[in-house]
């Protein structure tokens, strides 16, 4: 597979929620809803299927960060349990909402960049 040097970076465009082909049009029409096609170059975005990928990576990252911070806070300051519940619930929700859209954009753009498609058995 030859790499096109003029193609936009899939990571940069994915984090910004931009089209994987032109790098200008937006791929999201809502928070996580994908547009049917790019508004600039007309790329059909129906090929994108990230599945549970973004949720898995968000849960893994947020879980590690929140548990590490909760343990550090407990051993350092020994706050009451209600404070733990409030702090870590708010942080978990905020980090999850902040990370899921950029990660979905990156996974969509990497699918396009690497021409990923459903696996098939050859006969």
């Amino acid at each position: 597979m030859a790499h096109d040097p003029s193609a936009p970076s899939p990571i940069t465009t994915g984090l910004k929620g931009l089209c994987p082909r032109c790098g200008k049009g937006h791929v999201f029409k809502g928070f996580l809803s994908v547009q049917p096609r790019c508004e600039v170059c007309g790329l059909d975005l129906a090929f994108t299927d990230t599945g549970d990928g973004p949720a898995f990576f968000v849960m893994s990252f947020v879980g590690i960060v929140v548990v590490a911070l909760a343990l550090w806070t407990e051993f350092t300051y020994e706050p009451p349990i209600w404070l733990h519940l409030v702090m870590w619930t708010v942080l978990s929700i905020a980090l999850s909402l902040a990370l899921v859209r950029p990660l979905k954009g990156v996974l969509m753009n990497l699918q396009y960049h690497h021409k990923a498609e459903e696996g098939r058995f050859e006969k």
Side-chain angles (χ1 to χ4, degrees), residues 22-97:
C22 69
K24 294 183 172 83
H26 294 89
V27 294
F28 295 111
K29 65 180 173 184
F31 184 65
L32 289 176
S33 302
V34 179
Q35 295 201 53
R37 55 185 59 253
C38 174
E39 63 217 12
V40 176
C41 69
L43 174 66
D44 183 15
L45 297 169
F47 72 90
T48 61
D49 181 19
T50 58
D52 292 334
F56 170 77
F57 289 115
V58 167
M59 286 187 314
S60 298
F61 177 77
V62 170
I64 290 169
V65 169
V66 168
V67 167
L69 288 173
L71 288 172
W72 176 79
T73 303
E74 176 60 30
F75 292 125
T76 305
Y77 300 108
E78 298 180 15
I81 192 69
W82 68 267
L83 188 57
H84 273 297
L85 290 172
V86 170
M87 285 191 318
W88 308 125
T89 301
V90 169
L91 183 63
S92 296
I93 292 170
L95 280 176
S96 297
L97 290 174

